[in-house]
Amino acid sequence: MTDDVVLRVLAKQMIPFILLFALYVQFHGDYGPGGGFQAGVLFGAGFMLYGMVFGVTTLERLFPGGAFRIGIAAGVLLYSAVGIAGVLLSGNFLDYNVLAADPKAGQHMGIIVVEFGIGVTVAAVMIAAFYAFARPKA
Amino acid sequence: MSEILDYVLLLLLAATAIGIVRLRGLIAVVMLSGIYSLLVASLFIVLDAPDVALTEAAVGAGAATILMLGTVALTTREEKRARFRPVSFLVVVVTGLMLIYGTSSLPPFGAEDAPAQVHVGPRYLTEGYEQTGVPNIVTAVLASYRGFDTLGEVVVILSAGVGVLMLLAGRRRAQGEKGQ
Amino acid sequence: MDFVDGFATHYNYWIVIILMMTGFYLVIARPNMVKQLVGLSLFQGSMFILYISFAYVTGGSAPIIVEGEQSYANPLPHVLILTAIVVGISTTAVGLALVVRIHQAFGTIEEDEIHDLTRED
């Protein structure tokens, strides 16, 4: 935590845009550069910046560490669920063609959901690791 | 133009690496390794890999630097002994020279007919858009063609996350069980 | 191989090997564990550059399909390295967590001091 006014004001201005950019990278990843891995790390970096400037205690009051522990597993489960959905719709594991009537629409849907799962896990791991290093006794 | 940028960035990378070897203050070392990652990210932009550059910039210059600074804050700030080790240096030089000799059989940089360019890559580029409807082929290959591989990678990240939490966050309970 | 010709076509690979060996030296020669992990990430970074150099095509563009563009960089190494970077930071985080725990247990993160401490026991 810092008392530097410049840092506090600038961080407050920038963090919403970092998180917005992360969401853009997440959901625009099929048309431009980006995807789940990049978005997850960017999202995590936004949280880390907040924690560094305003103190990890403040951040933890807003977002308890337990939420991110659930997020770590939730992303992987979402990814696997898409794979199993393919099996249930009589395709192969992780076969997106069967997810919608049109194979191309199915591919698109599958890719977006899978990338979202990746993003959730990566962001949650980054923030959980940050908590662990910043407050090792918690 | 991109060749000049490539040369300059690689030269800066080598200088940063040597700086990392020579410095003993660990905070400076960690900051230099952040700079190293940022240079690598700039190089990826020059080499037409914007997806990888975005990841490297966010991971290397952001997350990794913060985690390393956290470690330095929890441990020590100074490397105690930075002796020159002749045997290690000799091993490194010999290995390096052998590897440089090995590069003579690699295809020239940027060649279109290199073995790496003729196998599956062109098929992804010509058929990927029609099959998935996703213009960014990196995303298409990552999430669709190599979806199973990526699932494995995400599980690796999950395991790493669980490992960090077990090592650092689960301590109080472990000490409580010992009756401290 | 002629040196001047080799410089133009293999410069990337040579610098990659220099960076790789710098990281290797840090890992084998330095007792400080944080420095060893930094060396490991230097090594990793050089590997990433090697793969992306393989993918590069002179005069090509980023592998995002645009009308009228003929030549693209190979997307496969990009995918491999993209995931490798994120897996790399996760494993580095585990390594750093281990270093923190080692410091709590031994009060030092110098490899030779830990060696001395465990020998006395």
Side-chain angles (χ1 to χ4, degrees):
Chain A
M1 180 162 170
T2 171
D3 290 326
D4 192 299
V5 177
V6 177
L7 212 53
R8 292 178 78 99
V9 170
L10 271 179
K12 217 174 242 177
Q13 303 285 329
M14 279 176 69
I15 286 166
F17 291 104
I18 295 176
L19 297 185
L20 196 64
F21 182 61
L23 289 175
Y24 168 78
V25 166
Q26 170 80 57
F27 292 109
H28 199 258
D30 33 358
Y31 293 104
F37 286 101
Q38 296 94 320
V41 180
L42 276 168
F43 209 77
F47 274 78
M48 287 182 190
L49 179 62
Y50 188 92
M52 299 263 283
V53 175
F54 297 101
V56 183
T57 329
T58 327
L59 184 61
E60 216 166 14
R61 214 164 47 229
L62 290 168
F63 300 96
F68 298 112
R69 293 182 193 196
I70 294 168
I72 293 175
V76 180
L77 287 175
L78 184 60
Y79 198 137
S80 323
V82 174
I84 290 166
V87 177
L88 292 180
L89 293 167
S90 64
N92 291 323
F93 187 66
L94 287 173
D95 181 1
Y96 308 145
N97 284 340
V98 293
L99 291 179
D102 177 29
K104 225 167 168 179
Q107 284 284 344
H108 216 123
M109 206 166 83
I111 288 174
I112 285 181
V113 177
V114 157
E115 290 272 6
F116 185 65
I118 299 170
V120 169
T121 293
V122 172
V125 167
M126 290 296 148
I127 300 165
F130 174 64
Y131 276 173
F133 277 95
R135 296 169 56 83
K137 288 208 174 67
Chain B
M1 182 59 198
S2 69
E3 273 77 23
I4 299 168
L5 274 173
D6 180 61
Y7 287 167
V8 172
L9 284 170
L10 283 167
L11 216 57
L12 284 173
L13 275 170
T16 316
I18 291 165
I20 290 174
V21 175
R22 295 188 64 85
L23 279 174
R24 287 179 62 194
L26 288 178
I27 291 187
V29 166
V30 169
M31 293 324 283
L32 269 184
S33 87
I35 291 170
Y36 179 89
S37 292
L38 203 59
L39 287 170
V40 172
S42 321
L43 187 65
F44 288 164
I45 294 277
V46 175
L47 296 180
D48 294 333
D51 283 280
V52 193
L54 194 55
T55 319
E56 176 69 30
V59 165
T65 310
I66 291 177
L67 295 183
M68 284 191 183
L69 279 178
T71 311
V72 171
L74 290 170
T75 55
T76 79
R77 293 182 175 217
E78 191 83 20
E79 189 184 10
K80 278 186 185 154
R81 278 170 303 283
R83 270 201 331 272
F84 178 72
R85 298 257 186 104
V87 179
S88 309
F89 188 73
L90 196 71
V91 169
V92 164
V93 168
V94 170
T95 317
L97 286 177
M98 285 196 311
L99 286 173
I100 285 181
Y101 174 71
T103 60
S104 61
S105 58
L106 284 177
F109 173 64
E112 273 181 45
D113 53 351
Q117 309 287 4
V118 293
H119 187 43
V120 282
R123 216 192 62 152
Y124 290 142
L125 287 168
T126 49
E127 293 172 22
Y129 184 47
E130 279 109 67
Q131 285 181 346
T132 63
V134 171
N136 184 354
I137 299 300
V138 174
T139 302
V141 176
L142 181 93
S144 184
Y145 288 105
R146 297 181 63 87
F148 205 80
D149 178 40
T150 309
L151 178 62
E153 308 268 12
V154 179
V155 173
V156 171
I157 294 165
L158 167 112
S159 332
V162 172
V164 170
L165 290 177
M166 281 174 75
L167 280 167
L168 289 180
R171 191 171 336 143
R172 188 189 281 163
R173 197 179 302 152
Q175 281 173 352
E177 278 166 6
K178 278 185 221 156
Q180 285 174 344
Chain C
M1 182 175 56
D2 187 31
F3 184 79
V4 181
D5 285 352
F7 183 82
T9 54
H10 289 71
Y11 175 79
N12 271 46
Y13 307 140
W14 293 351
I15 296 278
V16 162
I17 287 164
I18 291 172
L19 296 176
M20 201 188 287
M21 288 304 114
T22 317
F24 186 39
Y25 178 76
L26 283 177
V27 172
I28 62 173
R30 289 303 160 88
N32 187 291
M33 287 176 175
V34 172
K35 201 109 182 229
Q36 287 181 352
L37 281 172
V38 171
L40 212 56
S41 64
L42 284 193
F43 199 111
Q44 263 181 351
S46 76
M47 225 53 243
F48 301 158
I49 300 172
L50 185 69
Y51 268 70
I52 300 297
S53 299
F54 284 147
Y56 182 72
V57 178
T58 313
S61 73
I64 296 168
I65 301 293
V66 185
E67 295 248 347
E69 186 67 56
Q70 288 301 318
S71 171
Y72 298 100
N74 191 345
L76 189 58
H78 292 191
V79 174
L80 300 179
I81 294 311
L82 187 65
T83 50
I85 291 173
V86 184
V87 170
I89 165 75
S90 311
T91 46
T92 305
V94 177
L96 290 170
L98 277 171
V99 170
V100 171
R101 292 307 301 265
I102 287 170
H103 186 259
Q104 284 168 351
F106 294 99
T108 174
I109 52 167
E110 307 283 328
E111 213 171 50
D112 43 358
E113 284 179 15
I114 294 168
H115 206 71
D116 293 342
L117 281 173
T118 45
R119 201 164 31 198
E120 277 161 23
D121 283 350

